[in-house]
């Protein structure tokens, strides 16, 4: 186990009816920027509920709406501009990971006197942020309890993750009933996303991080159990609750403290999203098994950990590591592509041409420096080719 | 899963060489009360290292030494008196759970104008505390990352737990190498203590708290793996590190958020410690299997959870719940009493007379209101009798 500095300062109010805790925003000022996406929160009534609480506590609301999946830097800039011109005190994101990520960089940009894209490409420039609050409506990215935000600039195109302690939300409301209306497709993608975060953390080369590995296995098993239940019965509270809490735990640090690892599948997926605007969780589901097969063939120690993954997560009993590892990958594919019915290759994601592989591999390889083995540009090219 | 409000504000610096972070105390004032136990930190050199850092940062040190296991309220009072007379700004505990618990109530007592025992018997009176810092030297109670303190008054006798958000340490240094000198006996007792915390959380009646249960199982398996290694090879870093982190995770809330339960074995053990001053972890090890056998016989749903405990923690394959549950209890006994060589009954703990059973049962029953079934005074009497 390696040394680590633990700090997860976000307060979480989890469960039905926790929205009332938004009253605490009054302790942080009287002007809030409300950030949300395409308007589903208006259809569900959540928007009205939030405004009522703001009104009750005399908090003036400015709005940044229309945040897109893979949120754009231009949307962030629009939010920063509102914050600066209106003297906003704090930012409240109501939505999923994209909305929260956008709100985080808005909160940082409001305290920065140059262009917000600087903060995306250089984390160290994030030295101050407005307080960030979130109400989660989609279990997936874990942004509600972490220090990360991922922003895209389609004009380059680029999709980049930035991170800083100031990006931890001060408080997040996690009410599983707000995810009842999430579609089967988005529930599947969200489940794949949180499983990917967990697997990225799990496949570390740090030895003897037993408790962390056990936590990863617990989260994966919980996702495997409840993902299909939430799809079959969208209003199953226990399914939505377990998925929601797993989504937060998968990335808030509890899995990686003491067992750090540089993620390898995410950098590749970020290129897919940057070039083709694919749904993040779907891109991860396509790439993860291909990556596993690749490292199993090219990095000997991967066999043992993939076999452990098979036995402890999938209940595989075969004692031959090579066989157990292959079976584990097959189980994962079966779960992603048959049980969750996620797109199983890049073609099913709508990517027809291979013209961007060279460019995507060039950039992704810069980030693929951990998780068993460092991937070269050629490695990434092969993985992307195989994912078609 | 139930609703919960998550907040674990303690910053943890984990690993070799993290002591230097004590420099951060200078941000909280320039007078510290250093709290420690019987002097082992002087023999190990840790005391000198702490004083050197305080000197470097011009922090004046007052001392409260001689904190005993099952710390006494009189020791707390002594610390409070120093804080008040010297205008101390913060409290630094260097030691194990007893030292930290004492320091916590000292920090609260310093901000309270009446007798500190009030704060032990009535948590709600803890409204303000001095900042609390800890350097952990014994993996067991988890006090370094929780909001609980347990204090004894031998004159009554009584041993009572108090809890408040203000009792969370602001920062804790967890360097596994500081536990290299912990004896085999104390390592065994500490392992039993953190396993007991985990099991108390695990045996909740809250349904569908899957991720929490999985985390409990991971911690238990990690303790079962590394407890014996740490005893056989006291300087095995990975063993000490896993045990240290498990001790904190077992009680910091991550296992109980969403799956609350009123602990049942601890209230009984607190009576043993109050009357006989036994080592907390040893008392827990004696009582836990007896309690398990008792609830298995008297509360039907216990069978299923104990069987799950057997299969997921101990690798029992029998598919008959009743058999798997019994086997699980036998495995636990074997681990505690043969592998860890802990005292296996009250007589081995040095308790010869049964004269206090009535009084202990009377008081313990008031606290035994969760974990499967509420225990009456008669239930507790039977359990204590069987523990002889």
């Amino acid at each position: 186990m390696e040394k680590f500095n633990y700090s997860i300062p976000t307060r979480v109010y989890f469960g039905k009816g926790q929205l009332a805790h938004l009253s605490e925003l009054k302790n942080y000022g009287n002007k809030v920027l409300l950030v949300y996406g395409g308007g589903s929160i208006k259809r569900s009534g959540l928007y009205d509920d939030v405004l009522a609480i703001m009104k009750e506590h005399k908090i003036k609301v400015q709005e940044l709406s229309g945040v897109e999946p893979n949120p754009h830097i231009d949307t962030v800039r629009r939010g920063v501009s509102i914050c600066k011109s209106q003297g906003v005190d704090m930012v409240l994101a109501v939505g999923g990971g994209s909305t929260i990520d956008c709100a985080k960089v808005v909160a940082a940009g409001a305290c920065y006197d140059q262009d917000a894209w600087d903060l995306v490409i250089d984390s160290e420039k994030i030295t101050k942020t407005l307080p960030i609050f979130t109400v989660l409506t989609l279990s997936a990215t874990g942004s509600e309890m972490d220090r990360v935000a991922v922003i895209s600039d389609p004009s380059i195109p680029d999709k980049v993750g930035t991170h800083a302690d100031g990006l931890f939300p001060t408080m997040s409301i996690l009410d599983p009933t707000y995810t009842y209306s999430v579609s089967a497709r988005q529930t599947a993608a969200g489940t794949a996303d949180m499983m990917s975060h967990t697997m990225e953390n799990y496949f570390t080369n740090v030895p003897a991080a037993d408790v962390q590995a056990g936590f990863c296995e617990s989260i994966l098993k919980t996702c495997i159990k409840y993902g299909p239940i939430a799809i079959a019965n969208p209003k199953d509270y226990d399914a939505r609750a377990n998925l929601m809490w797993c989504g937060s735990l998968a990335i808030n640090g509890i899995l990686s403290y003491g067992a750090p690892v540089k993620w390898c599948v995410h950098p590749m997926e970020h290129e897919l999203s940057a070039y083709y605007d694919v749904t993040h969780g779907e891109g991860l589901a396509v790439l993860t098994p291909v990556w596993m097969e690749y490292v199993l063939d090219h990095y000997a120690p991967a066999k043992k950990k993939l076999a452990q993954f098979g036995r402890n997560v999938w209940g595989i009993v075969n004692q031959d590591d090579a066989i157990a590892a292959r079976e584990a990958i097959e189980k994962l594919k079966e779960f992603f592509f048959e049980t969750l019915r996620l797109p199983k290759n890049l073609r099913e994601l709508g990517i027809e041409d291979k013209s961007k592989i060279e460019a995507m591999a060039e950039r992704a390889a810069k980030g693929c420096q951990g998780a068993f083995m460092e991937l070269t540009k050629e490695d990434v090219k092969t993985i992307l080719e195989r994912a078609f």
Side-chain angles (χ1 to χ4, degrees), chain A:
Chain A
M1 196 186 299
E2 290 192 6
K3 67 197 291 187
F4 61 88
N5 300 347
Y6 171 103
S7 171
I8 306 179
T10 304
R11 293 196 307 280
V12 171
Y13 294 109
F14 189 103
K16 281 181 204 172
Q18 295 275 33
L19 193 71
H21 283 283
L22 284 185
S23 64
E24 295 176 18
L25 267 64
K26 67 176 184 285
N27 302 323
Y28 298 84
N30 58 19
K31 280 189 192 169
V32 69
L33 179 71
L34 176 62
V35 182
Y36 58 100
S40 67
I41 65 166
K42 289 190 174 171
R43 292 190 293 280
S44 71
L46 178 54
Y47 174 85
D48 290 338
D49 292 344
V50 169
L51 285 195
I53 295 172
M54 295 301 108
K55 190 176 177 187
E56 183 187 346
H57 295 284
K58 300 185 176 57
I59 299 169
K60 283 190 191 165
V61 178
Q62 304 288 331
E63 296 196 17
L64 175 67
S65 65
V67 178
E68 51 285 295
N70 299 318
H72 295 179
I73 186 64
D74 276 345
T75 312
V76 172
R77 290 180 180 126
R78 201 151 48 87
V80 170
S81 167
I82 299 170
C83 287
K84 288 182 174 173
S85 65
Q86 302 296 319
V88 160
D89 301 310
M90 57 200 153
V91 177
L92 169 60
V94 181
S98 298
T99 297
I100 297 170
D101 282 5
C102 176
K104 284 177 170 179
V105 184
V106 168
C111 303
Y112 180 71
D113 59 7
Q114 297 181 58
D115 181 45
W117 185 249
D118 297 352
L119 308 173
V120 177
I121 56 174
D122 183 359
S123 298
E124 293 192 1
K125 290 195 167 133
I126 304 176
T127 55
K128 198 180 163 198
T129 59
L130 298 179
I132 300 156
F133 302 90
T134 88
V135 179
L136 187 65
T137 64
L138 178 71
S139 304
T141 72
S143 187
E144 65 279 4
M145 205 176 176
D146 77 6
R147 60 197 286 278
V148 180
V150 184
I151 302 296
S152 293
D153 185 343
S155 72
I156 298 177
D158 209 353
K159 179 178 176 179
V160 184
T162 186
H163 50 88
D165 281 348
L167 298 183
F168 270 117
T170 298
M171 176 182 100
S172 285
I173 309 278
L174 274 62
D175 182 337
T177 67
Y178 294 152
T179 63
Y180 282 174
S181 59
V182 174
S183 69
R185 183 184 160 189
Q186 287 296 340
T187 300
T191 302
D193 191 9
M194 63 184 82
M195 286 178 70
S196 171
H197 297 160
T198 308
M199 289 185 285
E200 298 260 30
N201 284 316
Y202 186 63
F203 295 114
T204 173
N205 287 324
V206 175
D210 291 64
V211 66
Q212 293 89 341
F215 279 19
C216 289
E217 292 162 1
S218 302
I219 289 177
L220 290 170
K221 285 190 285 187
T222 305
C223 293
I224 292 163
K225 174 177 176 181
Y226 284 113
I229 295 175
I231 289 170
N233 181 6
K235 295 188 178 182
D236 185 304
Y237 183 83
D238 285 327
R240 293 297 193 180
N242 272 280
L243 289 175
M244 189 171 245
W245 193 218
C246 280
S248 302
L249 292 169
I251 199 172
N252 70 2
I254 200 82
L255 304 183
S256 57
Y257 283 122
V261 56
K262 287 208 172 155
W263 295 9
C264 263
V265 180
H266 271 68
M268 292 189 279
E269 197 291 321
H270 282 181
E271 298 306 319
L272 294 182
S273 288
Y275 280 91
Y276 300 100
D277 204 23
V278 307
T279 298
H280 181 53
E282 293 183 343
L284 293 168
V286 166
L287 294 176
T288 301
V290 183
W291 170 78
M292 284 180 177
E293 286 167 344
Y294 192 83
V295 293
L296 185 55
D297 289 339
H298 293 82
Y299 183 73
K303 187 171 67 178
K304 194 175 171 199
K305 191 68 179 262
L306 281 163
Q308 178 188 336
F309 170 63
R311 295 188 190 109
N312 293 354
V313 174
W314 298 104
I316 290 166
V317 291
N318 198 301
Q319 287 306 302
D320 181 299
D321 280 355
I323 295 171
R326 294 276 168 207
E327 286 184 6
I329 299 171
E330 290 309 310
K331 285 278 190 186
L332 180 67
K333 284 188 199 172
E334 188 184 315
F335 180 73
F336 276 167
F337 308 131
E338 295 177 33
T339 307
L340 296 186
R341 299 186 183 204
L342 287 157
K344 65 176 178 291
N345 54 44
L346 296 185
R347 275 174 286 110
E348 289 192 12
L349 277 178
I351 302 174
E352 296 295 338
D353 70 303
K354 297 189 174 181
S355 64
K356 305 292 192 300
I357 285 186
E358 187 77 19
M360 292 195 292
E362 174 87 33
R363 293 201 313 196
K366 289 175 191 158
C368 298
Q369 292 165 1
F372 295 143
M373 60 183 273
E374 188 172 334
L375 299 181
T376 64
K377 180 183 165 188
E378 289 307 310
D379 294 326
V380 177
K381 272 175 71 176
T382 306
I383 290 170
L384 291 174
E385 286 277 4
R386 290 184 184 171
F388 266 89

